[in-house]
Amino acid sequence: MNYPTTRSSLLERVQQGDEISWNEFYYRYSPVIRAAGAGIKFNNAECDDLVQAVMLKIFNRAQTFVYKPVNGKFRTYFARVVHNQAVDMIRRNNVQKNLPGEPIDACDPFDELFDSEWRKAALAEAKAELRLRVSDKTFMAFELYSLQNRPLKTVAQTLEMTPDQIYVAKNRCIKILQEIIRRYNEIDGALHLEI
């Protein structure tokens, strides 16, 4: 499967109805759906409804859905499901309020917003992969010093490491993360991930 923000077996496990996989799928993609809803001016309750509608649509199609990379990226398919569910919600809401339909058109920033949220999810997945490839202490040093910008001395004291060990951990993690991101960008040329 050519898509970096999900390990290759997640969709297959979702298809089989694995509850843990559904939880993982929900955890990874509900923030993307919620952000897309907020981007088109849905309130919190509407964003919650959008998440439920998308997850229900994916769940209902899971048993028969077969991902074929030659037909396009999963990200594109997923974005269309989110977009269509949002449009359906807007139409239903307009009908209930007796308003004329105002569908989201191609000029809307939906695709740009969705891609931005997708990049965030892909970067989170890259960090999760990095975490699996280094020791807990090395990852914590990288997280605290490089990502959270905590003072070197504080990180060294907290983790009982020398400043040199913190620098080595940082450089090792950056190198591995760059490799992961390069691979993700090769798989999906439109992703344009950066550290």
Side-chain angles (χ1 to χ4, degrees):
M1 165 185 303
N2 280 337
Y3 113 87
T5 60
T6 297
R7 284 187 286 283
S8 62
S9 62
L10 180 59
L11 286 180
E12 288 88 4
R13 288 180 293 156
V14 165
Q15 272 185 306
Q16 296 167 0
D18 180 43
E19 186 174 333
I20 292 171
S21 298
W22 269 110
N23 289 339
E24 181 180 350
F25 188 89
Y26 182 89
Y27 173 77
R28 286 184 186 192
Y29 299 113
S30 62
V32 174
I33 301 165
R34 191 174 306 286
I40 54 176
K41 310 295 187 230
F42 281 2
N43 63 34
N44 286 336
E46 291 168 328
C47 287
D48 290 343
D49 291 345
L50 181 61
V51 169
Q52 288 183 0
V54 170
M55 290 297 174
L56 184 60
K57 183 67 84 174
I58 297 289
F59 180 81
N60 287 337
R61 291 183 180 171
Q63 303 251 331
T64 58
F65 175 76
V66 177
Y67 174 63
K68 296 176 185 173
V70 295
N71 292 342
K73 299 191 181 330
F74 180 79
R75 174 171 37 102
T76 305
Y77 165 77
F78 191 73
R80 289 304 98 200
V81 172
V82 174
H83 182 270
N84 292 342
Q85 292 303 306
V87 168
D88 288 349
M89 286 177 59
I90 290 169
R91 284 184 185 140
R92 278 193 305 271
N93 196 18
N94 288 346
V95 166
Q96 289 173 352
K97 294 178 181 178
N98 291 323
L99 297 174
E102 296 178 26
I104 303 167
D105 63 28
C107 298
D108 247 0
F110 179 84
D111 290 334
E112 187 177 310
L113 173 71
F114 187 88
D115 287 347
S116 173
E117 291 304 317
W118 193 269
R119 279 186 206 89
K120 289 177 189 175
L123 193 53
E125 181 67 19
K127 284 174 46 183
E129 184 177 333
L130 168 65
R131 185 176 209 136
L132 294 172
R133 292 178 57 180
V134 298
S135 71
D136 289 341
K137 201 170 196 177
T138 297
F139 186 81
M140 285 303 298
F142 173 69
E143 174 81 23
L144 294 172
Y145 181 63
S146 298
L147 301 180
Q148 295 181 14
N149 296 316
R150 302 254 177 111
L152 177 63
K153 188 175 182 178
T154 303
V155 175
Q157 288 174 341
T158 301
L159 298 176
E160 298 176 349
M161 296 172 73
T162 67
D164 285 342
Q165 289 172 317
I166 302 290
Y167 287 130
V168 168
K170 171 191 165 192
N171 291 333
R172 180 169 183 240
C173 288
I174 287 174
K175 182 179 177 183
I176 294 170
L177 194 54
Q178 286 172 335
E179 169 197 315
I180 294 167
I181 287 173
R182 185 173 34 256
R183 188 178 75 241
Y184 284 10
N185 285 331
E186 286 172 2
I187 291 169
D188 183 350
L191 195 55
H192 306 296
L193 272 186
E194 298 175 0
I195 294 180

